[in-house]
Amino acid sequence: MHRYFAFVLILVALAACTSQQITYQDIEKQLQTQLILAADGDTLHLPEGYFKFSGSLSLDGKKSLVIRGAGMDKTVLSFKNQQEGSEGLKITNCENLRLYDFTIQDTKGDCIKIQKTKNLVIRNVKAEWTGKPKKTNGSYAFYPVDCDSVLIENCIAIGASDAGIYVGQSRDVIVRACEAFHNVAGIEIENCLRADVYNNLSHHNTGGILIFDMPELTQSGNGVRVFNNTVRKNNYRNFAPEGNIVHEVPPGTGIMVLATDNVEIFDNKVHDNKTIGTAIVSYLLVKKKHNDANFDPYPKKVFIYNNEYKNAWYRLPALSYDLGRLLWLRFPLKRPAIIYDGIKDPSATGPDGNYLEQYRICIRNNSNGTFANVDAGNGFKNISTNPAPFDCEHPKLQPVALPL
């Protein structure tokens, strides 16, 4: 049976209690109670207003629940003085969950963390840390992990000390029409199977869009498409805590593929990122130790085409990073738009040492898409700007289809 839980009625009821002062703890307790008692199929309405919370809100094991605010900037859940828990909204083991039309801000940890949930839609939601970006901000604004069928649409992420919109170890993912800025990574897809990232604006982050595979996780990534995005001016200082993998991303990075196979990058506008437009690199370049014998550190079958690269003015790359110094020394006046570290998986190469056809790195038809293979595996001795060995193509990946 479909029922409505009207959080606004709770506030009215509290307001009627003239003999007792209303505190934000009352509101917090009532909302958490509603989340616990909500029945499958309920809609929980959050009214317009600014509401303070001292502890995490949690939701577990619900089906077909809708949490709807009055509008992205009209319903604001603030955790600025959070005393308990680290996440703002922590969700586990749900199905057919919908989060619409509110803002969540200033949590100690992640703003919205969602685990083991199937058929998830987050639409018109802002997750942010107010004030100047800093390393004590939470890691992720949006953080679905180990989920199936995920749609993040028309959302805004600001100020995350790791990634604004992060989707990890999930299957069938769409991130579209979102905006991310003043994060270390604007959008990050990590160890996901079948993901489409399109029509997003990622700007003024350290790195615009990252496609990563990491060791010691439950699955490897494969089948990621990044297209029709605007990735510009991602030159913000890297404020990630030391030890995080994104701490290794040089400021001025547009798009980076790290160790992920079967990636397609096309029709993006990659503008004014001071260090590199697109980088394709092996995990070996990161030089972080791991204990995953099955981890494949080499990116393979990456196809980059029809992108527009442009830099309106000259800027120095990030000279405090090895990659930035290398590019400045080897290409002091005009850096390549696309670089490949040249480190190959020896199990996927032929007798000539080149990748077999199905594993090749293919790059073609990019506007201003100058290129360099920096030969990182041989100490950068034989850097080549010849694109001919990479002029190839792979069959197009199929769009992600969600049963929503």
Side-chain angles (χ1 to χ4, degrees):
M1 181 175 67
H2 181 78
R3 297 186 301 165
Y4 275 85
F5 273 100
F7 183 52
V8 65
L9 296 179
I10 296 169
L11 300 182
V12 172
L14 287 168
C17 299
T18 55
S19 62
Q20 183 177 0
Q21 184 179 6
I22 301 168
T23 68
Y24 69 84
Q25 289 93 342
D26 296 324
I27 298 169
E28 180 177 351
K29 183 178 180 181
Q30 290 293 338
L31 179 54
Q32 181 59 72
T33 300
Q34 297 292 345
L35 290 171
I36 293 171
L37 297 179
D40 294 345
D42 281 344
T43 295
L44 174 59
H45 287 276
L46 306 176
E48 181 173 346
Y50 180 89
F51 305 103
K52 296 189 296 183
F53 295 87
S54 63
S56 299
L57 298 168
S58 60
L59 182 69
D60 180 67
K62 303 298 182 182
K63 294 182 178 178
S64 302
L65 184 70
V66 178
I67 301 176
R68 184 186 294 276
M72 181 184 285
D73 291 313
K74 293 181 178 179
T75 299
V76 179
L77 312 182
S78 172
F79 293 79
K80 194 165 189 175
N81 297 310
Q82 186 170 7
Q83 303 296 318
E84 297 178 359
S86 56
E87 299 87 359
L89 183 57
K90 184 177 182 180
I91 297 168
T92 51
N93 301 307
C94 291
E95 292 185 22
N96 301 314
L97 178 68
R98 306 291 184 262
L99 305 179
Y100 298 150
D101 302 316
F102 61 89
T103 289
I104 187 167
Q105 61 183 212
D106 294 326
T107 55
K108 289 178 67 176
D110 310 315
C111 281
I112 302 176
K113 183 176 182 178
I114 304 168
Q115 294 175 285
K116 299 185 182 300
T117 289
K118 184 177 182 180
N119 298 338
L120 165 69
V121 177
I122 307 175
R123 181 178 290 136
N124 299 327
V125 175
K126 181 192 292 182
E128 64 174 342
W129 285 267
T130 60
K132 194 173 183 179
K134 54 186 180 297
K135 66 179 180 182
T136 53
N137 287 354
S139 296
Y140 307 104
F142 298 92
Y143 185 26
V145 63
D146 194 15
C147 294
D148 292 276
S149 299
V150 176
L151 171 61
I152 302 176
E153 183 176 39
N154 294 325
C155 291
I156 299 176
I158 308 170
S161 66
D162 196 303
I165 300 173
Y166 170 99
V167 186
Q169 302 168 74
S170 295
R171 289 129 322 253
D172 299 304
V173 174
I174 293 177
V175 178
R176 68 186 177 201
C178 295
E179 181 179 10
F181 60 96
H182 287 174
N183 309 283
V184 175
I187 299 170
E188 182 175 356
I189 304 296
E190 186 172 283
N191 294 65
C192 286
L193 293 172
R194 300 175 298 279
D196 279 355
V197 179
Y198 61 96
N199 293 351
N200 300 288
L201 171 59
S202 187
H203 64 101
H204 297 93
N205 306 286
T206 302
I209 299 177
L210 310 182
I211 311 301
F212 279 14
D213 255 33
M214 300 294 292
E216 301 174 357
L217 295 178
T218 56
Q219 68 179 39
S220 299
N222 196 298
V224 179
R225 302 194 311 159
V226 177
F227 60 100
N228 288 342
N229 301 286
T230 297
V231 184
R232 61 176 173 84
K233 296 184 178 179
N234 290 287
N235 304 314
Y236 203 79
R237 62 184 170 83
N238 193 324
F239 58 99
E242 194 169 351
N244 290 14
I245 187 67
V246 295
H247 185 73
E248 308 298 325
V249 176
T253 299
I255 301 171
M256 178 178 283
V257 179
L258 172 69
T260 307
D261 292 352
N262 207 14
V263 177
E264 198 174 330
I265 300 171
F266 59 99
D267 292 339
N268 299 286
K269 293 183 178 179
V270 186
H271 295 177
D272 300 320
N273 303 287
K274 68 178 184 179
T275 299
I276 192 69
T278 298
I280 311 152
V281 297
S282 163
Y283 188 82
L284 300 181
L285 206 62
V286 178
K287 298 179 180 177
K288 285 186 176 292
K289 295 181 179 178
H290 64 84
N291 296 306
D292 187 346
N294 296 317
F295 176 60
D296 173 7
Y298 309 97
K300 296 182 290 293
K301 196 183 177 185
V302 176
F303 187 16
I304 301 174
Y305 61 97
N306 293 350
N307 299 286
E308 179 185 270
Y309 293 92
K310 184 166 63 177
N311 280 308
W313 66 91
Y314 179 84
R315 294 188 64 177
L316 289 174
L319 297 179
S320 59
Y321 287 74
D322 290 343
L323 178 61
R325 287 192 294 272
L326 171 72
L327 293 173
W328 184 62
L329 288 171
R330 298 301 182 98
F331 306 95
L333 298 180
K334 187 175 182 180
R335 287 177 293 283
I338 305 167
I339 67 162
Y340 171 46
D341 69 3
I343 303 176
K344 299 186 187 75
D345 180 352
S347 69
T349 60
D352 61 357
N354 293 320
Y355 269 143
L356 299 171
E357 192 66 28
Q358 64 268 33
Y359 300 123
R360 293 179 69 183
I361 306 297
C362 292
I363 301 169
R364 64 168 38 167
N365 296 334
N366 296 287
S367 175
N368 301 313
T370 52
F371 167 78
N373 176 354
V374 298
D375 192 32
N378 295 306
F380 308 98
K381 294 178 180 177
N382 299 304
I383 294 177
S384 172
T385 58
N386 179 13
F390 302 91
D391 184 17
C392 56
E393 65 180 30
H394 290 294
K396 307 290 178 57
L397 297 174
Q398 293 297 309
V400 172
L402 302 180
L404 300 175

